[in-house]
Every structure is written in structure tokens, then in C-alpha cells.
Amino acid sequence: MAVRISIIIPVYNAASTLRAAVDSILAQDMDSIELLLVDDGSSDETPALCHELSAQDARVRVITQKNAGICAARNRGLSVAHGEYITFCDDDDVFMPGALRLLWQAAERERADVVRGDYRLLREQGDGTFREQKHDSGQKCALCTDGYEAFLQNSGPQFVWNALYRREILQDVRFDERCRYGLEDFIFNMTVYTKTDRAVYLPQVVYQHYESAQSTSLCQSSQALRGRIRVLEPWMAAEYAAIQKRCAPSQQKKLWALRKAEAVTFLMHQLRDAKAPAALRRYAWQTLRTVLQAYPSCTLDFWQGTGQNKKKTVALLLYQLRMQRLYDLLSGKQSTK
């Protein structure tokens, strides 16, 4: 029987969490799946656990490589996956019961190349417990009928672990291996949207993401922040290319302003969370300004965000006035989700 879905898990030193992630996938009510565990040079008991899990279930395959980062591990999985569809899971997260069947049925019914679902985000607190970070689930929509702006607004942050992809559409799409500290999901998805408009969003929760204190989702060190600053250019290039491909000329200016506001707000939060020193802040904003100078701009384009997201509108205004440090005082400890 042909493989319907390949699930790729990049694995690194995940001996304490991997079994729960694997169990959540093997318990899915889907026939003919393959689970690819790509061990990215783990140095703990993870390799032995991967092989133990494979021995217990023939659907589990183990691929090993020297440590090269999450993007390289996902790319390795993409190169050997056999499924008609592909999805991703982190080694410390879980799929919700029935998630894969829900996504697969939507893809078949809508003849979609991408189906996104909602997710639960649980962030680790100072005492080691996890607290859910609430966010708006959005409304069901399709890129090809509702438009790119509506699709992005409803489907939220463009992660890869709450989405199902038709493998055919990913033939020449890979993760940018320069992204060692995040943003790879956004670049990957924007590249996909230049290939197809057959994308659907469902508001049902399909995935549970745990953001631990050591997670690459957080940015609490200068090294991580510098890593993200270095990939601002490919991120904005991917965003702009997708807008050019998916929006009519009359809509491009407005959506580009909103995506710029997304980048500005993102960087403001990164700088705040990392408690970045003045020199690193200057480097970050100089880099972003240099990146954005390559694209058409309007002095007052922050007004394009009004009525959509006031927080992002304020962020873009402060950025254009070169008063972005004030955002720390206005935002406090609010979640970015």
C-alpha cells in the first residue's frame, strides 16, 4: 500500500520527550503512514531510543546524521520521504487525536496542496510548569478564494508543524539551513505559497506545541538573536515574493506594510526577550533597515495596518520614527501570539 503521510521528526537529545511525540503519531487513526526519526547527532540516550521505537513498530524509520541543525534534519527527511503528503513534528510536541485524518480528509476534499490547522501553545513558566498562551483561532478560509491577506490573518504564524503538505509541491522547496535559531518555518511556507494557491486553513486544533525554557522558539541569548538577525534578509525576500505572486497590484502595498509590521514587531520582541545591549540593538535595527531598503516603501505606510492589529501599527510607527525602544515600555510582558 502506498504511503499516505510521511511525518518527519528532527530529533536532538530528546530522550525524555520523544516517546510521547511518537506515541501521539502512531495512535492516529490513519492507514499507511511512515514516521521518519532524523537523529541530528544526539549525544544522549536518544539514538538508542529511536532504534527501540523503530523495532517496536515497522512504520518508524531511523535516519542518522552528524549534527547540522533542525533545517538540515528536516531536509534529510524530505529527501527520503515516500508519502503522498508530508507533515512535521518537533521531538517534544504532540499531535492531537484525529489530527492527521482531519488534515488529510480536508486535503482530499478540497484538492489542496497545503492544509493548516490551529494549535495549542504551552509555554514553560519559572516554576517548570506549562501555561497555555491563548490566541485567536481565526476562521476557516482558503487562499485561492478568500485571498492571501485573509488567509494569513486567519491562519496565524506560519509554522510547519500544524500543516500538511502535498509532497509533489515540495519537490524543489527545502528549509534554509542558515536558520539555526528560528524563522525557517516562515521562509519555508512563504516559498510554498509562491508555488500554489491551493491552501486551506481549518480552525480545529491539530497540534500541541511546548515552548520550553531552552526552546529555539524563545530568544534569550545574544547568540540566538544574532542568528535571527542574519536571516532577516531571506525572510523578507520570501515574504515579498509571496505577496507579488498572490496579490493583485492594488493589494500588494497594504499587505507588504502588514508583513513589514510583522517583522518589526517580531524584532522588537526578540530584543526585549534577549535583554539585548545597546550595541546589539543598533546592529539589529541597522540590519532590518538595510534589508527593507531593497523594497518599495511609503513614509506613512504604517497606516495600512490600522484596524488590523493596533500593536503592530504602533510598532511600525515607532520604527519609522526611530523610537523603537519605547515599545519595550508599551508592550510589557505581553505574548506575541
Side-chain angles (χ1 to χ4, degrees):
M1 181 183 294
V3 177
R4 286 182 176 174
I5 301 177
S6 297
I7 304 96
I8 298 170
I9 303 185
V11 183
Y12 180 72
N13 289 354
S16 64
T17 60
L18 179 61
R19 187 179 294 275
V22 169
D23 287 348
S24 77
I25 292 167
L26 298 182
Q28 295 285 315
D29 55 342
M30 275 297 300
D31 298 327
S32 190
I33 66 171
E34 67 172 0
L35 174 53
L36 306 176
L37 303 180
V38 185
D39 179 31
D40 187 39
S42 295
S43 58
D44 64 355
E45 298 81 15
T46 298
L49 177 57
C50 287
H51 289 288
E52 177 187 336
L53 294 168
S54 179
Q56 292 172 354
D57 195 306
R59 295 174 292 177
V60 181
R61 296 169 56 196
V62 181
I63 300 100
T64 60
Q65 64 178 36
K66 293 182 179 180
N67 182 252
I70 190 172
C71 292
R74 285 174 174 162
N75 287 340
R76 181 73 180 279
L78 285 170
S79 70
V80 300
H82 295 121
E84 181 183 3
Y85 296 94
I86 290 176
T87 190
F88 302 92
C89 182
D90 284 356
D91 59 18
D92 56 352
D93 293 343
V94 296
F95 273 100
M96 305 302 289
L100 294 185
R101 178 166 291 276
L102 175 71
L103 295 171
W104 173 75
Q105 287 178 335
E108 293 287 289
R109 182 177 62 251
E110 306 286 344
R111 291 186 293 178
D113 294 319
V114 183
V115 181
R116 304 187 61 77
D118 195 16
Y119 64 94
R120 292 182 68 210
L121 169 65
L122 289 91
R123 182 170 294 160
E124 187 174 10
Q125 306 301 298
D127 61 1
T129 62
F130 285 84
R131 178 180 299 173
E132 183 174 359
Q133 307 296 303
K134 299 288 187 179
H135 62 268
D136 183 6
S137 62
Q139 298 180 348
K140 180 180 178 180
C141 65
L143 194 162
C144 61
T145 56
D146 298 304
Y148 191 44
E149 180 181 350
F151 182 79
L152 292 179
Q153 289 177 351
N154 281 285
S155 59
Q158 298 295 300
F159 303 118
V160 297
W161 29 248
N162 57 324
L164 184 72
Y165 304 87
R166 193 180 300 274
R167 183 162 63 96
E168 182 181 10
I169 207 67
L170 301 181
Q171 291 301 310
D172 60 348
V173 179
R174 290 296 183 267
F175 289 91
D176 190 325
E177 296 186 16
R178 292 173 293 179
C179 300
R180 296 296 294 262
Y181 296 96
L183 292 178
E184 76 282 351
D185 299 54
F186 302 161
I187 297 172
F188 182 88
N189 278 309
M190 299 309 153
T191 304
V192 169
Y193 298 146
T194 65
K195 309 291 182 182
T196 181
D197 65 350
R198 304 296 303 180
V200 174
Y201 169 70
L202 306 175
Q204 290 95 325
V205 174
V206 299
Y207 192 88
Q208 188 156 284
H209 177 62
Y210 292 91
E211 195 173 80
S212 68
Q214 292 77 39
S215 173
T216 56
S217 300
L218 298 176
C219 190
Q220 298 180 336
S221 71
S222 293
Q223 181 183 20
L225 182 54
R226 287 184 179 277
R228 293 187 174 185
I229 293 170
R230 284 194 291 270
V231 295
L232 287 172
E233 188 279 327
W235 178 24
M236 291 295 96
E239 292 274 6
Y240 192 77
I243 289 172
Q244 294 293 301
K245 182 71 174 183
R246 293 291 156 230
C247 295
S250 61
Q251 300 171 318
Q252 291 174 5
K253 180 179 177 182
K254 177 183 178 182
L255 188 52
W256 177 235
L258 290 171
R259 301 315 288 172
K260 282 172 57 179
E262 186 81 22
V264 170
T265 308
F266 171 85
L267 188 54
M268 285 179 176
H269 280 275
Q270 303 304 295
L271 293 168
R272 184 199 66 194
D273 294 345
K275 298 180 175 58
L280 187 51
R281 285 175 177 267
R282 288 194 295 271
Y283 167 66
W285 293 117
Q286 180 182 16
T287 300
L288 182 59
R289 291 183 190 282
T290 299
V291 168
L292 294 180
Q293 283 174 0
Y295 304 98
S297 182
C298 173
T299 304
L300 298 179
D301 64 3
F302 64 85
W303 289 116
Q304 299 284 354
T306 302
Q308 302 295 331
N309 187 310
K310 296 298 194 299
K311 184 168 64 175
K312 289 182 174 61
T313 302
V314 170
L316 191 54
L317 174 59
L318 291 176
Y319 166 77
Q320 291 184 325
L321 294 176
R322 297 179 181 267
M323 300 171 65
Q324 53 269 358
R325 186 62 185 264
L326 289 178
Y327 190 77
D328 287 13
L329 302 176
L330 296 175
S331 63
K333 290 295 183 181
Q334 296 175 6
S335 167
T336 61
K337 304 299 180 185

